[in-house]
Amino acid sequence: MVRVLKDYPNIDKYVQEREEALMHPWKESDGNIGGGRSNVPGKPAEVMAITIADDRRLSNLERNKRVVQECLDNSDNQTITIIYELYIKQHPTLTLQGVADKVNLTPSAVKKRRAKFFEMMRAELGW
């Protein structure tokens, strides 16, 4: 759960890297020049579209981004600040107490909002 939140700011970059890896896979050079028929499909663009659409890692990245965004969209401003400061921010600087002070809540109230957000994410992710 925490890993999904910490990866959230970089998911677009991960998706782009994965699509690049799928479109341009590494191929071992073949020393057998000229012999035999090609085993490359006749319509590589169609095969590539199917490969990208069926890639499990790519699908998981896109699903994780959608779930985090939906959960943030369905949260109030205090909860968004809590999740951002503790997990999404590139270099978190606040402790739980610091976040509680920032959003004018008690630490136990911050923990309850965080737990509710995690529960919403679990439900959306099917965990």
Side-chain angles (χ1 to χ4, degrees):
M1 191 75 52
V2 171
R3 185 81 252 149
V4 172
L5 287 170
K6 288 196 177 285
D7 283 345
Y8 177 72
N10 300 313
I11 288 179
D12 288 333
K13 182 179 82 164
Y14 298 154
V15 166
Q16 183 180 7
E17 288 171 357
R18 184 64 183 158
E19 286 176 346
E20 283 293 318
L22 290 170
M23 288 191 287
H24 306 290
W26 178 82
K27 294 180 184 174
E28 186 175 346
S29 62
D30 186 2
N32 182 15
I33 299 173
R37 293 174 23 148
S38 170
N39 62 355
V40 176
K43 298 181 180 180
E46 289 177 15
V47 171
M48 185 54 55
I50 291 169
T51 300
I52 289 174
D54 289 342
D55 186 68
R56 179 176 282 160
R57 183 168 171 221
L58 190 59
S59 297
N60 284 338
L61 287 169
E62 291 169 343
R63 178 196 63 169
N64 290 350
K65 180 180 179 181
R66 179 184 47 77
V67 165
V68 172
Q69 190 59 54
E70 285 177 10
C71 290
L72 289 170
D73 289 345
N74 291 322
S75 297
D76 59 48
N77 289 336
Q78 287 177 316
T79 302
I80 292 169
T81 300
I82 292 165
I83 298 303
Y84 176 78
E85 289 292 339
L86 293 175
Y87 303 105
I88 297 175
K89 191 174 181 181
Q90 190 70 30
H91 301 288
T93 55
L94 297 177
T95 62
L96 192 81
Q97 180 65 53
V99 172
D101 292 342
K102 183 172 183 170
V103 294
N104 298 317
L105 294 172
T106 64
S108 63
V110 168
K111 289 177 185 177
K112 286 178 185 176
R113 286 174 183 258
R114 178 180 63 182
K116 184 178 175 186
F117 186 88
F118 283 172
E119 190 55 43
M120 193 176 4
M121 276 187 66
R122 274 189 205 95
E124 289 291 322
L125 290 168
W127 292 356

